[in-house]
Amino acid sequence: MPHPKPAVFRFAPSPNGELHLGHALSAMIGHDWAKRLGGRFLVRIEDIDVDRSRDEHLRSILDDLAWLGLSWEKPELHQSQHFGVYRDAAAKLTDLGVLYPCFATRGQIAASVGAAVAAGGREERDPDGAPIYPGLHRGLDKAEITARQAGGERAALRLDMVKALGIAKARLAGRPLTFREIASDDSERIVCADPARWGDAVLMRKDTPASYHLSVVVDDARQGITHVTRGADLYAATDLHRLLQVLLDVPEPLYHHHRLLRGADGRKLAKSTGAPRLKDLRAQGVTADDIRRQLGLRPR
Ligand code: GLU
């Protein structure tokens, strides 16, 4: 019997640099899987960081994807054109009472964490290695918030993790917060999510009215993404994404976190560490089929 709804996959590059082999792997996995299931494949441009996004990178990304032989639905969704949607989602979370404004600067947070460690505390870090927010502005009183805002101070909006977990617990009515991880052989396992390890994460940044975590959850939901395929570096972020899905009352996609390509130094391939760009490989005469072979993917 055909699946009632077509599967929907997405590749979600950020146009702040050029694509390298790691991106090719990610894009091809999603694309090939979508085709195998007779599903849809979308490209979403994750450009909430408007200062770091460049038109020339965007053009090269789309060129590279076409050169790889991938096809996707047009037009692509550009997150920078949808800030209102992320604001609405933040407003929904504010109404639930799980967001609070945080005016603290990085320096103030670092100083507070440093002081706690000097006083004998243990330094806790989130899965990305950033210190867990020490709660500086959690519970700031309304008058102070209003005064600071009136004085032109900008605030990030942070998730009150304890409150958020409380609401999620009630909504899940005794069921644990989990996600479904599909392996390359289609086997599925249920993973327990532990969003608390992110602490009071920023959901609306000071410099842009969105955040990666919020926009990815909102867009995966409104684009009807059924399968989120992305690198294993985002595995831990899924815990937080699942919590946000419960709070925003949106469906749960399936997840597949694929292997990461590593350079000779053993580190994840990255633009910052000089991974060869697809553009350069192409100029050297490498073909899309060579790339498929090199990545161990089925030929087209
Ligand atoms: N935009 C993210 C990146 O370039 C990918 C986000 C995702 O797939 O969830 O790393």
Side-chain angles (χ1 to χ4, degrees):
M1 208 169 66
H3 200 265
K5 275 197 293 182
V8 189
F9 289 72
R10 66 7 178 232
F11 174 60
S14 303
N16 50 24
E18 309 266 333
L19 299 189
H20 54 64
L21 276 178
H23 298 111
L25 177 68
S26 208
M28 286 168 144
I29 286 177
H31 173 271
D32 292 4
W33 200 332
K35 299 293 145 193
R36 180 159 62 86
L37 297 185
R40 299 166 55 201
F41 180 62
L42 314 180
V43 170
R44 181 166 77 221
I45 307 300
E46 300 214 322
D47 56 354
I48 56 168
D49 210 334
V50 282
D51 290 338
R52 291 179 62 214
S53 300
R54 298 269 175 281
D55 278 350
E56 64 267 27
H57 294 321
L58 172 62
R59 278 194 296 274
S60 319
I61 288 172
L62 299 179
D63 261 14
D64 286 341
L65 294 176
W67 171 72
L68 286 172
L70 309 189
S71 51
W72 61 94
E73 292 179 17
K74 314 280 187 321
E76 304 82 22
L77 183 146
H78 293 239
Q79 290 187 323
S80 62
Q81 295 168 6
H82 299 272
F83 285 124
V85 178
Y86 313 128
R87 281 202 187 90
D88 290 347
K92 194 165 171 184
L93 295 174
T94 300
D95 289 346
L96 276 180
V98 296
L99 285 194
Y100 64 89
C102 170
F103 300 90
T105 61
R106 263 173 219 269
Q108 288 167 333
I109 294 171
S112 162
V113 169
V117 170
R122 205 164 55 88
E123 186 176 355
E124 286 181 299
R125 292 186 173 265
D126 73 18
D128 280 347
I132 292 284
Y133 177 69
L136 286 175
H137 288 174
R138 192 192 302 124
L140 219 54
D141 67 58
K142 281 226 168 62
E144 177 164 0
I145 294 172
T146 313
R148 282 183 179 235
Q149 278 167 341
E153 248 190 279
R154 285 209 288 191
L157 294 179
R158 287 184 179 270
L159 184 68
D160 185 323
M161 183 54 78
V162 171
K163 279 192 191 159
L165 289 173
I167 293 182
K169 193 172 172 191
R171 291 197 176 169
L172 289 167
R175 281 171 289 126
L177 182 68
T178 57
F179 62 92
R180 292 161 65 191
E181 176 77 15
I182 313 283
S184 332
D185 65 1
D186 283 340
S187 63
E188 179 183 318
R189 71 195 165 89
I190 307 281
V191 182
C192 274
D194 176 19
R197 59 191 172 137
W198 289 96
D200 287 3
V202 169
L203 293 192
M204 289 293 260
R205 288 164 33 174
K206 272 187 192 177
D207 58 338
T208 192
S211 66
Y212 161 64
H213 296 301
L214 185 63
S215 57
V216 82
V217 165
V218 166
D219 286 339
D220 283 340
R222 72 198 176 104
Q223 293 192 290
I225 304 298
T226 56
H227 294 66
V228 172
T229 53
R230 59 186 180 192
D233 51 336
L234 290 167
Y235 187 76
T238 310
D239 294 6
L240 185 52
H241 299 175
R242 283 292 299 124
L243 176 62
L244 296 178
Q245 285 158 2
V246 172
L247 296 173
L248 292 169
D249 196 18
V250 295
E252 169 189 0
L254 298 168
Y255 287 92
H256 170 72
H257 293 90
H258 60 74
R259 68 194 158 99
L260 298 177
L261 299 185
R262 300 192 183 273
D265 59 359
R267 293 199 303 165
K268 178 192 150 197
L269 279 194
K271 27 200 173 215
S272 53
T273 53
R277 305 178 305 173
L278 293 182
K279 207 190 223 172
D280 299 330
L281 298 174
R282 175 163 28 153
Q284 289 161 20
V286 173
T287 68
D289 286 334
D290 295 334
I291 290 192
R292 282 191 170 268
R293 262 190 300 278
Q294 184 180 346
L295 296 176
L297 299 174
R298 250 190 269 266
R300 271 183 287 168

